[in-house]
Amino acid sequence: MIKGILVVIVVAVAAVLVAAAMQPDTYRVVRSTTIKAPPERIYAQVAELRAWGPWSPWEKRDPAMKRTFGGPASGKGATYGWEGSKDVGSGRMEILEAEAPSRILIQLHFLQPFESKAKAEFTFKPGNDATTVTWAMFGDAAFMTKLIGLFMSMDRMVGPDFESGLAGLKAVAEKPAS
C-alpha cells in the first residue's frame, strides 16, 4: 500500500516537473489604456522615475519602502532601486531607451522575493484628443517561473497591477495643470 502511494507521488511530481519544462521559454504581460492628455505629458510621468509615486501600484502597497535614485533625473540611464515589504520585494530598474515622447524601455532586476530579470516597455501613441498608453513586461521564463506558471500565470499576477498603475497614470496625466 505505501509503495503504491509513493509511486503515485513520484509520478505526480514527475508529471508536474515535465509539464513545467514544456511551458514557453518567454512570457509577456501587456495592458493598455487611453488617456486624454498629450503623449509628452504622459511620457514625462514615466521617464522621471521620481514621479512614479502618485501612480505606481507598488508605491501604494508599501509607502515605507526605501527608494534610491541614480543617474540623470529622467530618461536613459535613470535608475530606481527599492527595498520594501514582502508585498513589493526589492530590486532595481534602469531606463535603457527613452524615445520622447513615444517609447521607454526599462531593464528590471528583481532581487526579492526571488531573483529574476525582465524588461518593461511603455509606448505612447497619440490619437485624436487622447494617447493610447501600453505597458508591457516581458522576459525569459526560468524553470521556477514556468513551475509557478502552472498554478498562476504571470498575466494574472502582474496584469492587475498594470491596470491599477495605468489608472493612476491616467488620473495624474488628466489632472488639470495648476
Side-chain angles (χ1 to χ4, degrees):
M1 176 71 143
I2 292 180
K3 187 176 180 182
I5 292 172
L6 288 175
V7 168
V8 168
I9 291 171
V10 168
V11 169
V13 168
V16 168
L17 295 176
V18 168
M22 294 175 64
Q23 296 300 305
D25 292 331
T26 61
Y27 67 89
R28 185 172 182 86
V29 177
V30 181
R31 295 294 190 274
S32 294
T33 194
T34 301
I35 299 176
K36 292 187 180 198
E40 296 81 8
R41 183 183 308 162
I42 307 162
Y43 174 92
Q45 291 296 318
V46 178
E48 167 55 68
L49 299 177
R50 292 176 193 265
W52 284 43
W55 63 268
S56 167
W58 301 288
E59 293 277 344
K60 291 172 182 62
R61 199 167 289 149
D62 183 7
M65 78 174 146
K66 297 176 190 166
R67 299 161 189 82
T68 56
F69 298 93
S74 69
K76 185 176 179 174
T79 65
Y80 170 55
W82 71 93
E83 190 176 327
S85 68
K86 64 179 178 60
D87 293 329
V88 298
S90 64
R92 181 179 186 275
M93 62 182 176
E94 178 179 353
I95 297 179
L96 298 177
E97 298 174 19
E99 303 164 16
S102 60
R103 181 175 169 268
I104 296 171
L105 181 67
I106 299 171
Q107 176 67 57
L108 300 164
H109 186 181
F110 301 101
L111 300 170
Q112 295 290 327
F114 56 88
E115 187 170 10
S116 69
K117 291 185 178 180
K119 288 195 170 63
E121 180 182 52
F122 288 85
T123 58
F124 312 90
K125 297 204 187 291
N128 293 331
D129 64 340
T131 302
T132 299
V133 179
T134 301
W135 186 356
M137 183 174 79
F138 51 94
D140 295 330
F143 184 77
M144 196 57 142
T145 303
K146 292 178 182 186
L147 187 60
I148 292 169
L150 289 176
F151 306 100
M152 183 162 190
S153 76
M154 186 69 78
D155 192 81
R156 280 185 274 155
M157 286 190 296
V158 179
D161 288 334
F162 282 15
E163 292 165 9
S164 172
L166 288 169
L169 183 59
K170 179 181 178 92
V172 168
E174 290 181 350
K175 187 184 289 184
S178 22

